[in-house]
Amino acid sequence: QVDLVESGGGSVQAGGSLKLSCTASGLAYNRNCMGWFRQVPGKEREGVATIYTNFYDAGDADISTYYADSVKGRFTISRDNAETTVSLLMNSLKPEDTATYYCAAVGARLGDFCLSALSDHYAMRYWGTGTQVTVSS
């Protein structure tokens, strides 16, 4: 069983920063895609950023990151391999970033899968319960 637990949501004024974290347990894949998606009421869930990791036996990993155009240059996705924690640092926040943010994960053979998942959230298999981010103007 895979569990994803998000933390770090909250309220901030426009221009401010927040950091979201997602800790995964039970995600036993040598190659996987994890990421952050967001949703506002009445709209489709959209991809924000994804990160593809290919773990090697020596403990090293190849990592690739992908971003939605709307957050490029403002958001940074990263991971702590030892803790299987994926973080999303959000800078220069805008009111339109207000949404419920969800962490998601799936086993993935190739990084291209992680890129395509940005526009197809149905490709992700495991989901957290979401954390609210509110940006006021």
Side-chain angles (χ1 to χ4, degrees):
Q1 179 179 347
V2 176
D3 289 317
L4 304 176
V5 178
E6 303 118 332
S7 62
S11 298
V12 65
Q13 288 192 326
S17 300
L18 282 174
K19 185 176 181 179
L20 305 181
S21 294
C22 172
T23 299
S25 60
L27 190 63
Y29 297 99
N30 287 337
R31 291 173 284 186
N32 66 60
C33 175
M34 296 184 69
W36 290 93
F37 296 74
R38 65 188 182 188
Q39 189 170 22
V40 297
K43 290 192 175 183
E44 188 78 5
R45 191 168 296 186
E46 64 174 6
V48 176
T50 56
I51 183 166
Y52 171 75
T53 307
N54 182 2
F55 290 99
Y56 294 104
D57 291 339
D60 295 327
D62 282 342
I63 295 175
S64 298
T65 56
Y66 308 94
Y67 297 92
D69 289 342
S70 60
V71 306
K72 279 181 182 177
R74 299 189 298 123
F75 291 10
T76 302
I77 189 170
S78 62
R79 71 175 302 153
D80 177 335
N81 292 341
E83 299 295 330
T84 319
T85 297
V86 173
S87 299
L88 183 70
L89 176 61
M90 305 184 292
N91 294 323
S92 302
L93 282 161
K94 304 175 181 179
E96 50 264 44
D97 294 318
T98 296
T100 301
Y101 283 71
Y102 297 89
C103 178
V106 67
R109 293 186 60 191
L110 299 173
D112 286 352
F113 174 92
C114 221
L115 172 61
S116 64
L118 275 177
S119 55
D120 180 16
H121 68 275
Y122 295 105
M124 305 303 284
R125 181 174 180 181
Y126 307 104
W127 291 90
T129 57
T131 184
Q132 179 66 33
V133 171
T134 303
V135 184
S136 57
S137 58

